[in-house]
Amino acid sequence: MTPEAVAEAAARLAVRALDLPELARAGTVAAYVSVGTEPGTRALIDGLRARGTRVLLPVLLPDNDLDWALYEGPESLAEVAHAGKMRLLEPAGPRLGPAAVTGADAVLLPGLAVDVRGMRLGRGGGSYDRVLARLEAARAHPDLVVLLYDAEVVDRVPEEPHDHPVDAVATPSGVRRFRTA
């Protein structure tokens, strides 16, 4: 995709995602700052914050688990280099602990693809597998939404026994639900 197409897709995705009932009714959303070629999330997290939603963003720990911190605007993000990994924008504020995600009403998940059953293919680092396991252990049931480009919704992705289906996938051109919102 050209840089212009990526920017246009990010803008359309932000509008589409902000209209999702899963996010409209959420008091707290666990989100993420997109990296590399992922669909852009900056406009979305700013839009959520502007309407009064509490936005948690991940902080990558050395073991690939995720801690969480409150997003307090673009100026609260710091670029952090992780050993052997990419540079990430992370919130610079106080850490809330890995279990903070269990208080979210909705969790936005990154991914490489989602299939027609709602199974998500991640990047392979296991960070969000840990998040999903933590939610299950806490008996927390936030809405799980993946943000992707249209072509990343596919017929089938590989799955393992620990994988969990998501509730919805939002793309620049539409939303597909796997469970009623």
Side-chain angles (χ1 to χ4, degrees), residues 112-134:
L112 297 176
V114 167
D115 70 22
V116 296
R117 304 167 301 150
M119 298 307 292
R120 172 188 154 270
L121 178 65
R123 292 183 167 269
S127 298
Y128 281 89
D129 290 332
R130 293 179 192 193
V131 167
L132 295 171
R134 186 167 288 120

Side-chain angles (χ1 to χ4, degrees), residues 49-94:
R49 184 173 179 267
R51 71 178 181 201
T53 302
R54 183 173 179 250
V55 178
L56 303 178
L57 294 178
V59 176
L60 185 64
L61 297 172
D63 66 355
N64 276 354
D65 203 350
L66 298 177
D67 199 338
W68 298 89
L70 188 62
Y71 176 60
E72 298 186 43
E75 68 285 346
S76 72
L77 297 175
E79 189 173 286
V80 179
H82 292 277
K85 299 176 179 80
M86 62 186 80
R87 299 175 79 76
L88 302 173
L89 283 176
E90 297 179 342

Side-chain angles (χ1 to χ4, degrees), residues 33-181:
V33 178
S34 54
V35 296
T37 60
E38 293 178 332
T41 59
R42 297 288 293 276
L44 173 57
I45 61 177
D46 285 334
L48 287 167
R49 184 173 179 267
R51 71 178 181 201
T53 302
R54 183 173 179 250
V55 178
L56 303 178
L57 294 178
V59 176
L60 185 64
L61 297 172
D63 66 355
N64 276 354
D65 203 350
L66 298 177
D67 199 338
W68 298 89
L70 188 62
Y71 176 60
E72 298 186 43
E75 68 285 346
S76 72
L77 297 175
E79 189 173 286
V80 179
H82 292 277
K85 299 176 179 80
M86 62 186 80
R87 299 175 79 76
L88 302 173
L89 283 176
E90 297 179 342
R95 302 303 184 247
L96 304 174
V101 71
T102 64
D105 302 301
V107 177
L108 301 179
L109 303 164
L112 297 176
V114 167
D115 70 22
V116 296
R117 304 167 301 150
M119 298 307 292
R120 172 188 154 270
L121 178 65
R123 292 183 167 269
S127 298
Y128 281 89
D129 290 332
R130 293 179 192 193
V131 167
L132 295 171
R134 186 167 288 120
L135 292 170
E136 185 175 331
R139 292 193 163 99
H141 302 288
D143 292 308
L144 304 176
V145 179
V146 181
L147 306 173
L148 295 174
Y149 294 111
D150 296 310
E152 295 170 332
V153 179
V154 300
D155 289 335
R156 191 91 166 178
V157 298
E159 71 179 271
E160 297 186 22
H162 66 270
D163 288 336
H164 301 268
V166 298
D167 300 311
V169 60
T171 69
S173 67
V175 174
R176 183 170 189 155
R177 286 197 167 62
F178 307 103
R179 185 179 69 131
T180 305

